[in-house]
Amino acid sequence: MIPDVGSGRRAMYLHVGAPKTGTTFLQSVLWAARDELIGQGLTLPMRKLEDHVRAAQDVRELYDEQQYSPKARGGLDRFAASLPEVATPRALFSMEIVAAATPKQIERFFGVLGDFDVHIIITARDLARQIPSGWQQRVKRRRRTPYDQYLRNVLEDPALTLDFWRSQDVAEVAQRWGEALPPPRVHIVTVPPAGAAPRLLLQRFCAVIGVDPNGLDTEVAVTNSSLSSPQAELMRRVNTALGERLTGRRTGYNQLAKTYLAKTVLAAQGGPALKLPARYADRCRAVSARISADLAAAGYDIVGNLSDLEPTVFGAPNGNLEQFNLDANDENVAESAVQAIATMLVQRHEDLTVIADLRTRLHQAQTAETWAHKQRRRLSMVKDDPALLLDRLPRPGRR
């Protein structure tokens, strides 16, 4: 059971999501300033972000080594073992994949935090942006479901029981994670609408964890780049074409398709943003209104404005056609593919140049080693039999 507020003990802030709410940005900025944050009274336990990833995977029991690191096992134990080293009044854990944790998994996590007063932080963004982002994230994880089918699955789910909602129904996530906590220790940080000041989300987040954001460097920030509509559809079609190839997700698909093709090649192209079709506007607004009302009624600490969660941007209908079908038609998808192939050919040329240079250096090193080896062998032979030097001396009549 979590102690009451006012115990005077150290605070542990658990930033548990939601995914695609600026979490990558926040984590990269905060980890880059880890030493400075200690000076401000806040510790990020362990050594690097990946340690929090492994702990989160362990909490969620994500042990499939085809998809996750074998280091997931024991990740929570290692996190717990690092906690006695926390010498500051406050500590922060941040990893969004724990948002969907079950009550039993949450209880296990809380079980290693007995020396802390636990606070929950949930960053929340409007569903008109979250739902399209959710499909993109699934496509990057090799899913092949067409956008229309995905939208039907998500928005025509009356009880919101689909896996998507385990992370994105922020009111339900807050209730699940905050069940054992006083409401003021559950902090809902709203993501500002598009066009807001770039540092506003960081300022809101830092207000919760008691950190002055003014000295934090956002130039080091990493962002989870989004794909445009035709790029995302191209990625989905590539997933279908791959079939059962590149089955090793971490070393195969993740490295080549997700990291290289999606993040490096396609994300650099730009293009029309993926939007929620206008036909789902009423349903999206209704769900959002219910979530905001539940958050307000629960008495949580709202940092920002619940109005930030109101959906405002939708695809523009055109007769019987939706924006996605206009943006991700065969012609646009083909153009994205052509540009991707051109980029990959240039990259392949650069790679082959590097490979050729490395081969030349290796050959030169091997040649030098062979010569040196021969000299060492000759020296060894001479040491064993100095008379061999006589064959090297000039003799009368020999030139």
Side-chain angles (χ1 to χ4, degrees), residues 66-112:
Q66 280 292 96
Q67 303 184 53
Y68 306 101
S69 169
K71 294 181 180 179
R73 292 188 182 275
L76 182 59
D77 291 337
R78 293 190 295 274
F79 179 78
S82 74
L83 296 182
E85 300 174 8
V86 175
T88 54
R90 305 179 308 284
L92 171 67
F93 171 91
S94 177
M95 182 39 55
E96 64 275 13
I97 65 174
V98 297
T102 66
K104 185 176 180 179
Q105 291 169 342
I106 294 170
E107 182 180 3
R108 177 176 169 236
F109 197 178
F110 281 7
V112 307

Side-chain angles (χ1 to χ4, degrees), residues 62-367:
L62 302 176
Y63 301 137
D64 180 358
E65 293 188 10
Q66 280 292 96
Q67 303 184 53
Y68 306 101
S69 169
K71 294 181 180 179
R73 292 188 182 275
L76 182 59
D77 291 337
R78 293 190 295 274
F79 179 78
S82 74
L83 296 182
E85 300 174 8
V86 175
T88 54
R90 305 179 308 284
L92 171 67
F93 171 91
S94 177
M95 182 39 55
E96 64 275 13
I97 65 174
V98 297
T102 66
K104 185 176 180 179
Q105 291 169 342
I106 294 170
E107 182 180 3
R108 177 176 169 236
F109 197 178
F110 281 7
V112 307
L113 303 175
D115 293 335
F116 295 84
D117 286 339
V118 176
H119 292 246
I120 301 300
I121 305 176
I122 302 172
T123 40
R125 190 170 71 149
D126 79 85
L127 286 175
R129 291 192 285 174
Q130 287 296 87
I131 292 172
S133 292
W135 181 67
Q136 273 200 38
Q137 291 304 103
R138 282 160 172 74
V139 167
K140 291 178 183 178
R141 293 197 298 267
R142 204 180 182 128
R143 302 292 177 85
R144 308 169 189 176
T145 306
Y147 190 39
D148 280 354
Q149 181 61 55
Y150 162 81
L151 293 174
R152 288 195 295 271
N153 293 342
V154 170
L155 288 165
E156 296 178 14
D157 175 13
L160 304 185
T161 56
L162 195 70
D163 177 66
F164 171 86
W165 295 110
R166 293 282 299 174
S167 297
Q168 298 297 342
D169 183 343
V170 175
E172 194 276 331
V173 173
Q175 190 279 327
R176 192 172 356 108
W177 276 91
E179 185 174 9
L181 299 175
R185 298 230 306 261
V186 178
H187 311 274
I188 310 299
V189 179
T190 63
V191 176
R199 296 179 64 93
L200 183 53
L201 174 61
L202 178 64
Q203 291 166 355
R204 291 177 177 179
F205 192 88
C206 287
V208 175
I209 60 176
V211 166
D212 180 1
N214 291 324
L216 302 184
D217 183 8
T218 56
E219 294 297 320
V220 301
V222 176
T223 57
N224 192 350
S225 301
S226 295
L227 301 178
S228 72
S229 298
Q231 295 157 3
E233 173 60 13
L234 171 61
M235 192 74 194
R236 187 193 70 80
R237 296 184 189 186
V238 168
N239 292 343
T240 301
L242 277 174
E244 299 306 314
R245 293 175 290 179
L246 296 180
T247 54
R249 178 176 170 182
R250 288 191 300 115
T251 57
Y253 183 86
N254 264 15
Q255 184 181 41
L256 297 174
K258 180 180 178 180
T259 301
Y260 177 59
L261 177 58
K263 292 185 177 181
T264 303
V265 176
L266 296 180
Q269 291 182 0
L274 182 65
K275 296 179 180 178
L276 187 66
R279 66 181 182 273
Y280 289 111
D282 289 345
R283 170 65 169 160
C284 182
R285 291 190 179 107
V287 173
S288 297
R290 192 271 301 162
I291 290 174
S292 293
D294 288 350
L295 292 173
Y300 301 137
D301 175 34
I302 308 297
V303 183
N305 301 286
L306 288 178
S307 61
D308 293 336
L309 305 184
E310 296 175 5
T312 56
V313 178
F314 299 94
N318 187 324
N320 293 325
L321 297 176
E322 290 284 1
Q323 192 70 50
F324 177 79
N325 295 327
L326 294 172
D327 292 337
N329 58 38
D330 288 345
E331 181 179 353
N332 291 343
V333 171
E335 176 59 24
S336 179
V338 168
Q339 294 300 323
I341 291 171
T343 299
M344 294 166 76
L345 286 175
V346 172
Q347 181 65 59
R348 179 58 174 163
H349 171 71
E350 294 174 355
D351 291 344
L352 289 174
T353 301
V354 171
I355 291 170
D357 179 61
L358 291 174
R359 282 177 174 167
T360 299
R361 294 185 185 185
L362 179 60
H363 176 71
Q364 291 171 343
Q366 289 173 335
T367 301

Side-chain angles (χ1 to χ4, degrees), residues 13-19 21 23-24 27-28 31 44 48-60 62 79 92-101 109 121 123 167 177 205:
Y13 291 90
L14 302 181
H15 179 206
V16 301
T21 58
T23 52
T24 302
Q27 290 156 0
S28 58
W31 275 100
L44 287 162
K48 53 188 178 181
L49 175 61
E50 286 75 14
D51 294 326
H52 286 202
V53 174
R54 306 308 176 220
Q57 291 171 341
D58 196 7
V59 170
R60 291 282 315 280
L62 302 176
F79 179 78
L92 171 67
F93 171 91
S94 177
M95 182 39 55
E96 64 275 13
I97 65 174
V98 297
F109 197 178
I121 305 176
T123 40
S167 297
W177 276 91
F205 192 88

